Structure formats: structure tokens, C-alpha cells
Amino acid sequence: MDSGNVAWILASAALVCMMIPALALFYGGMVGSRRILNMMMMCFGGASLVAVLWALFGYSLAFGNSVGGLGLIGDVTEFPGLGQLMAEDGEASIPVALFAAFQLFFACVTTALVAGAAAGRMKFGAWMLFAGIWATIVYFPVAHWVFAFSSEDGSVTGGWIASGIEAIDFAGGTAVHMNAGAAALALALVLGKSSGWPMVEHAKPHSRPLVLVGAGLLWVGWFGFNAGSALSAGHSASVVFLNTAVAASAGLLAWALVERVRRGAATSMGAASGLISALVAITPACGAVSPLGAVAIGAIAGAVCSLAIELKYRLGYDDSLDVVGVHLVGGILGTLLIGLFATDAAPNGVSGLFYGGGVELLGVQSLATVTVLAYSFGITWVLAKILDKTIGLRINPEDEMRGIDLAAHSELAYLTDEDPVELGSPQRA
């Protein structure tokens, strides 16, 4: 064991864990004041459920030896309950248990991201059931495709994207962001539009400061997300850390500039969204590009995603918190731009079209992109349809208009003198 590597991945896992409450704050500020508790509970509840499933069988499905050597799914019988990870492996630079914990939070964050498309109109129980099934049949398999690598001696077979076509995805542009974005689109289509959409007065952002605080904490957590994916405290993590920092900054500035030109003002919501869109885009590319390449990718993502969020109005889908416009579009951009901006001087050691590498890498990145999008959208749509026809996904219209917090959780985030509260209720505690 290398104590420096262990310390860095422990810290990185904690940073990725922090992204769950950070996302809850980011999403919570973007919804109405009587929707914030439900939004935050969807993040915390979904993440907690997925963590338990990860321990039971999720890690095996994602990182077990590929069944039949096909690279499609891990062997669920290999690490049930994770008890096997308690034994020390003297040949590993970090404990396998630590790697499992680090990747656990990736699964939690990805599931929580999907919740943004269902804000304020989905039953909490239905969300929890959806989150558990979705993680099992969508996230865990895709994580195996992207994150599970074959061993050098051939004793372990990894995923078909990571070890088959060898597409580059340093920290999860496909498995996390495109996956969540495609699932969010499918869920939004099945759920249908919010009452009164697109002019939903009761769903307007109630706290822009919370949005900025959440975005800032996500930025900090993203350093663990990206640089921690180097799995060591060394040169690769350092380059990735730098690329993540400059890309995020470029994205914020690009979104603000587009807003200033188009609307005459750079908004706080735009700044937060530009920051996140660039972080999404640099996630797959952070180990493949130079700092200037990272700036370019961040700026492109900030500008393009600022336009992409308007697609929901033109195409008529209610993606409440712009998961599609930011995470789906940003993930696609970051994954494909590797084919252009990758340089063999970066840790991944592969060159794209702009650095003399030809179009082969772009083709590989495109194949990974299309496959993950099709699988995630298709399976999620079928799952949401089945749940909608059986248990129902939507809350009733009266509760939606009044605000889901009271109906789903029997409490409100902000009480006024006009709100009736019984003695001994959670609101008085």
C-alpha cells in the first residue's frame, strides 16, 4: 500500500460524497419554496438507497469479472455484500475496499442527478422505487462498460467500452452525465409537464444564493471526482486537477458572455449553470487534453449548453432543472471533443484530430456516446412507463399546485404565521 495514494483517494471519496448535499442545495435553490424539501429528499433518499444496493450487489455488477467475457455486465456472485473486500491485498496501491467506496459515490451522485427532471411532480415512493431499479438495470451495467478495465494478465475481463473499443472517459462523461441526462429526458417525457408549464409561477427558483452555494460546493467536490479518478496522488491527478479548474472557469465566463449578448445581463443562475456545464464536459476529457484544450472545452460547453437549455421549450418536454441541457449536452460535448483536442502529452497519452491523431479516436468516442445514450434512454423510458401504469408516478394536481413538500413529507422548509401546524408535528421540533 502507498500511504499517499490511500490518503488522496480517502479525501477524494469524501469530496465526491460532499457532491450529494451540494447537488441537493443546487437543485433545492432552483425550485419553489414549497418544493425544496422534496427535491433535497429525492437526492438524499435516492443516493442512500443506491449505496445499500451497491454493497449488496451493485459493486459486483459494475466491477466483477465480465460474464462470459462479453464486457456487458459483471458477475453478481463475485462480491455479494462486499465481505471479500475486507482482506488486504498486498499488491494493490490502494485497498480494494477504498476503491469500492470511491465508486459508490459515483453511483449515488448519478442517480441523484436524474431527480432534477422530476422536480415537484413525482411521488416520493415512486421515485425511490424508480431510483433503485434504475441503478440496477442502467447505471451498474453502464459503469461496467466504462469503468471496469481488464487486468494485464488477462485473468479479469472488463467492460467493452473501457477494454474493448478503448474509448476515453476519464471520470464519467458517459457513465455519469450522459447516462443521467438521457434518463432524465426519458423520465420527463413519461411524467409529462408540470401543471401550467411553461409558466409555472409556484416552481420558480426561490433562492439563487442557495444555487450558487451548491454550485460552488460541487466545484470543490469535482476535484475529488476527476482528480481522484487517477487513483493515485501523482502527476496524472495534478494535470487533471488543473484542467478541471480552468475548464470550469472558462465555462462560467462563456455562459455569462452569451447571456450578456443575448439578454443584456449576466445572471447568477447562468454563472452557476455555466460552471456546472463546463465541469460536466471536462469530466471525460480531463486526462486527455492540455490546459488550453480544457479551456476550449469548458468555453464551448458553457456557450452551447446556454443555448441547449431552451430546447425544452421548443420540443415541449419539461426538464425542470435542465438536466438534459447541462448534463446530457455537456457530457456529449466533452466526450466527442476528446476526438479533437486530445494530446499524447496528457496522461491518457492519445492524440485527437487537432494533434495529428486522425479521426479514429473521434469514431470510437462517437460509438461509446451513441450506445450509452440509446441504452439509457430506452431502458429508462420502458421502466418509467411500467411504473406509471402500475403504481403511478405523478402526485395529484392539487398537491402539485400547493407544493409537494407538505403532501409528501408533512413539513415545510419555511413556515409563516398562516401555516397551520399541530403541536408535536415535525415543523415545531
Side-chain angles (χ1 to χ4, degrees):
M1 297 293 173
D2 185 304
S3 59
N5 291 342
V6 172
W8 169 236
I9 306 306
L10 282 169
S12 294
L15 287 171
V16 181
C17 178
M18 187 186 71
M19 294 176 76
I20 298 168
L23 181 66
L25 289 170
F26 180 70
Y27 277 174
M30 293 175 70
V31 300
S33 62
R34 295 190 173 221
R35 293 180 166 196
I36 179 175
L37 294 181
N38 177 253
M39 189 69 260
M40 298 182 82
M41 281 292 290
M42 290 177 80
C43 293
F44 281 108
S48 298
L49 176 59
V50 170
V52 173
L53 297 180
W54 184 260
L56 294 176
F57 55 80
Y59 179 76
S60 290
L61 290 177
F63 291 100
N65 196 6
S66 188
V67 175
L70 300 176
L72 298 177
I73 195 69
D75 183 356
V76 72
T77 66
E78 192 166 352
F79 306 106
L82 301 185
Q84 299 88 334
L85 305 189
M86 296 178 68
E88 283 196 46
D89 182 355
E91 298 181 0
S93 65
I94 63 170
V96 180
L98 176 54
F99 174 76
F102 179 63
Q103 283 291 332
L104 175 152
F105 293 120
F106 278 61
C108 295
V109 169
T110 306
T111 305
L113 285 173
V114 181
R121 64 192 191 279
M122 186 174 184
K123 297 176 184 175
F124 184 69
W127 160 252
M128 292 296 290
L129 183 59
F130 170 88
I133 299 174
W134 184 83
T136 301
I137 64 177
V138 179
Y139 180 79
F140 297 157
V142 175
H144 181 74
W145 300 355
V146 176
F147 293 143
F149 290 86
S150 299
S151 61
E152 293 183 2
D153 61 7
S155 60
V156 176
T157 302
W160 71 272
I161 289 179
S163 299
I165 64 173
E166 297 183 349
I168 294 175
D169 187 351
F170 197 87
T174 52
V176 176
H177 298 292
M178 276 194 283
N179 197 3
L185 177 58
L187 181 59
L189 291 174
V190 174
L191 269 175
K193 304 167 186 175
S194 299
S195 300
W197 189 88
M199 302 302 293
V200 187
E201 292 295 325
H202 59 277
K204 286 184 176 180
H206 85 284
S207 178
R208 286 167 174 80
L210 275 187
V211 175
L212 287 172
V213 169
L217 291 174
L218 282 169
W219 191 2
V220 175
W222 230 290
F223 291 117
F225 198 89
N226 284 0
S229 293
L231 298 180
S232 64
H235 176 72
S236 293
S238 302
V239 172
V240 168
F241 198 106
L242 174 61
N243 284 345
T244 301
V246 296
S249 303
L252 186 153
L253 296 174
W255 190 304
L257 178 60
V258 170
E259 273 196 324
R260 181 68 177 82
V261 171
R262 297 185 71 212
R263 306 188 185 284
T267 68
S268 60
M269 289 285 288
S273 299
L275 180 74
I276 301 303
S277 64
L279 287 167
V280 169
I282 199 59
T283 293
C286 54
V289 300
S290 68
L292 285 180
V295 169
I297 289 174
I300 291 170
V304 173
C305 290
S306 69
L307 304 175
I309 62 171
E310 298 181 4
L311 288 174
K312 63 183 180 182
Y313 301 114
R314 297 184 181 183
L315 301 180
Y317 60 88
D318 182 5
D319 172 25
S320 306
L321 306 186
D322 297 319
V323 187
V324 176
V326 172
H327 293 274
L328 177 59
V329 175
I332 292 173
L333 286 171
T335 302
L336 295 181
L337 289 174
I338 292 172
L340 303 180
F341 289 103
T343 169
D344 59 8
N348 281 125
V350 180
S351 292
L353 184 61
F354 293 168
Y355 288 82
V359 298
E360 181 179 357
L361 179 58
L362 182 58
V364 169
Q365 298 298 114
S366 299
L367 176 59
T369 296
V370 171
T371 306
V372 170
L373 290 178
Y375 180 81
S376 180
F377 179 86
I379 299 300
T380 304
W381 189 88
V382 172
L383 170 61
K385 272 291 185 183
I386 291 173
L387 292 179
D388 192 38
K389 296 296 183 182
T390 51
I391 65 172
L393 297 180
R394 291 285 292 260
I395 62 172
N396 65 59
E398 294 78 15
D399 289 333
E400 185 178 340
M401 293 298 294
R402 185 175 55 180
I404 193 174
D405 285 357
L406 198 59
H409 307 290
S410 298
E411 54 186 352
L412 293 170
Y414 313 105
L415 290 175
T416 66
D417 293 337
E418 288 75 28
D419 290 315
V421 181
E422 297 180 3
L423 288 174
S425 71
Q427 292 97 318
R428 284 199 180 274

